[in-house]
């Protein structure tokens, strides 16, 4: 079976700062891979490289068997044109810490935007799909509400519906609950649990250790741009093998 994500010796620097250092990662179709680690360890940068919001400096990265951002010809690598890059990115949904909704558009209009503009769907079809997705995340009755009329948790659920509207094969979540009040975290995690039950392949950068233990199929601990330890979440969390992992978990568990 072709992995949904395969990273080989991926490196990324910003100026003199080496953010990713030879990262190797495999995520199989249908898996939920949770990524934990201290701030500045490279977790968010890794996500942004997977959907090519950031270009990698070294190594290679594939999504569903397709080399991201590059094409290989006669043993040489060439950057993809913007149109080809856009086609690749359409296959990968991403949910950020901040919701980034258009404030002057309703929940349904936010969800409709990409299918109408990028996929050239009719507004009627996109509206129908938007209401369906909002219902799926528990917001079918708020389709015509503006972001300012929604709680943070509701806005993040709209953001998840917006990412799903493009029918992605892979969903990336970059600390999706970190900007929420504690009492609103559960409603977003419930939507993510349901996506996992439906078989969506997900990579989740998170501080929610309980979610990683309960829902994750794989757990990756990153520090200083490297994957320090990975494995079954229950095993890593209960009996970490690396001293750095133990030190981190002692502060968050």
């Amino acid at each position: 079976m072709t992995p949904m994500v395969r990273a080989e010796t991926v490196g990324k620097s910003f100026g003199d700062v080496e953010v990713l250092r030879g990262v190797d990662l495999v995520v199989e179709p249908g898996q939920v891979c949770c990524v934990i680690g201290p701030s500045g360890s490279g977790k968010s940068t890794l996500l942004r490289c997977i959907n090519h919001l950031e270009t990698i400096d070294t190594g290679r990265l594939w999504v569903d068997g397709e080399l991201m951002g590059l094409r290989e010809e006669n043993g040489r690598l060439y950057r993809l044109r913007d149109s080809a890059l856009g086609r690749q990115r359409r296959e990968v949904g991403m949910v950020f810490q901040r919701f980034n909704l258009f404030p002057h558009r309703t929940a349904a209009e936010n969800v409709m935007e990409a299918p109408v503009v990028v996929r050239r769907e009719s507004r009627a079809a996109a509206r129908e799909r938007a209401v369906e997705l909002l219902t799926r995340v528990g917001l079918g009755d708020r389709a015509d509400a503006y972001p300012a009329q929604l709680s943070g948790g509701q806005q993040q659920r709209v953001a998840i519906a917006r990412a799903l509207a493009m029918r992605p094969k892979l969903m990336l979540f970059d600390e999706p609950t970190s900007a929420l009040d504690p009492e609103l975290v559960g409603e977003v995690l419930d939507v993510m649990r349901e996506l996992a039950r439906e078989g969506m392949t997900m990579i989740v950068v998170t501080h929610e250790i309980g979610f990683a233990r309960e829902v994750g199929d794989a757990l990756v601990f990153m520090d200083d741009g490297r994957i320090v330890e990975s494995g079954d979440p229950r095993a890593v969390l209960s009996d970490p093998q690396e001293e750095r992992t133990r030190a981190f978990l002692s502060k968050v568990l």
Side-chain angles (χ1 to χ4, degrees), residues 30-162:
Q31 271 196 326
V32 177
C33 176
C34 294
V35 184
I36 63 172
S39 296
S41 58
K43 308 183 300 295
S44 295
T45 299
L46 176 59
L47 284 195
R48 293 175 66 85
C49 288
I50 289 172
N51 70 352
H52 209 71
L53 288 176
E54 299 287 355
T55 57
I56 62 176
D57 298 325
T58 58
R60 297 187 188 184
L61 217 162
W62 293 263
V63 172
D64 200 20
E66 187 172 358
L67 192 61
M68 291 298 287
L70 300 166
R71 63 180 174 86
E72 190 168 3
E73 192 173 302
N74 298 323
R76 297 186 65 182
L77 292 176
Y78 300 89
R79 300 281 183 195
L80 289 182
R81 294 179 178 176
D82 289 346
S83 58
L85 266 178
R87 179 185 56 76
Q88 286 189 333
R89 288 196 185 112
R90 287 201 294 268
E91 303 295 327
V92 183
M94 188 156 182
V95 178
F96 301 88
Q97 297 178 37
R98 298 290 172 180
F99 327 123
N100 298 324
L101 300 178
F102 294 115
H104 58 292
R105 293 184 177 161
T106 65
E109 288 168 343
N110 269 279
V111 177
M112 292 165 57
E113 178 74 9
V116 169
V117 173
V118 179
R119 290 198 183 274
R120 303 287 190 245
E121 291 184 14
S122 71
R123 292 191 64 81
R127 166 81 188 189
E128 182 177 348
R129 168 88 171 146
V131 172
E132 173 190 313
L133 287 169
L134 289 169
T135 300
R136 184 174 170 186
V137 300
L139 293 172
D141 60 338
R142 304 308 305 273
D144 294 317
Y146 289 90
Q149 298 170 313
L150 301 173
S151 70
Q154 289 172 328
Q155 290 185 62
Q156 190 63 296
R157 284 187 279 157
V158 173
I160 293 173
R162 177 180 59 186

Side-chain angles (χ1 to χ4, degrees), residues 12-14 17-21 23 35-47 97 174-175 205-207 221-228 244 248:
K12 174 66 180 177
S13 297
F14 295 105
V17 180
E18 198 174 2
V19 182
L20 296 177
R21 305 166 186 256
V23 170
V35 184
I36 63 172
S39 296
S41 58
K43 308 183 300 295
S44 295
T45 299
L46 176 59
L47 284 195
Q97 297 178 37
D174 188 5
E175 299 187 16
V205 170
T206 185
H207 293 298
F221 171 66
M222 291 187 69
D223 186 44
D224 195 28
R226 296 183 174 91
I227 292 179
V228 175
R244 182 65 186 95
F248 174 79

